[in-house]
Amino acid sequence: MAEHVCPVWVGYLLLSPPRKLWESPRKVLGPYMSPGMTVLEPGRGMGFFTLPASQMAGPEGKVLAVDIQPKMLQKVRAQGAGQRG
Ligand SMILES: C[S@@+](CC[C@H](N)C(=O)[O-])C[C@H]1O[C@@H](n2cnc3c(N)ncnc32)[C@H](O)[C@@H]1O
């Protein structure tokens, strides 16, 4: 793995619920997203933005969320995000 990539333990920190108090995914993404969109989320980490983005994209939309670290992807899969075709 690359030497300077975000450590997996930081991924858990970034996923912690209190983060929503100062960085609401819906507020951050709201001006840029609308239902039916296809969205690319590079470096999704453990998915802080992924599930909200998927909900905002709606059943007609799609979120293509990628990460270079398999351990980050496992956490997102465990949450049920990223499974929609
Ligand atoms: C600081 S974390 C941010 C995670 C998430 N976006 C968040 O806000 O909680 C950056 C993420 O980008 C990923 N990353 C770094 N370089 C990447 C690359 N070239 N392609 C895909 N993901 C990458 C890391 O593995 C890490 O999970």
Side-chain angles (χ1 to χ4, degrees):
M1 190 52 54
E3 196 176 319
H4 300 294
V5 81
C6 177
V8 171
W9 66 266
V10 174
Y12 283 100
L13 276 185
L14 291 172
L15 197 56
S16 66
R19 181 179 173 192
K20 287 183 187 159
L21 296 176
W22 65 86
E23 193 171 39
S24 158
R26 286 184 178 271
K27 276 191 189 161
V28 171
L29 301 175
Y32 310 104
M33 281 194 67
S34 50
M37 272 187 165
T38 296
V39 176
L40 174 62
E41 184 191 7
R44 72 184 183 182
M46 293 195 179
F48 181 76
F49 288 99
T50 308
L51 197 52
S54 176
Q55 290 163 347
M56 292 168 80
E60 304 298 321
K62 206 178 271 186
V63 177
L64 308 171
V66 298
D67 202 287
I68 201 170
Q69 297 189 83
K71 282 193 176 172
M72 298 288 196
L73 300 176
Q74 284 164 13
K75 179 67 179 170
V76 175
R77 287 201 181 106
Q79 292 171 322
Q83 298 297 302
R84 227 159 21 105

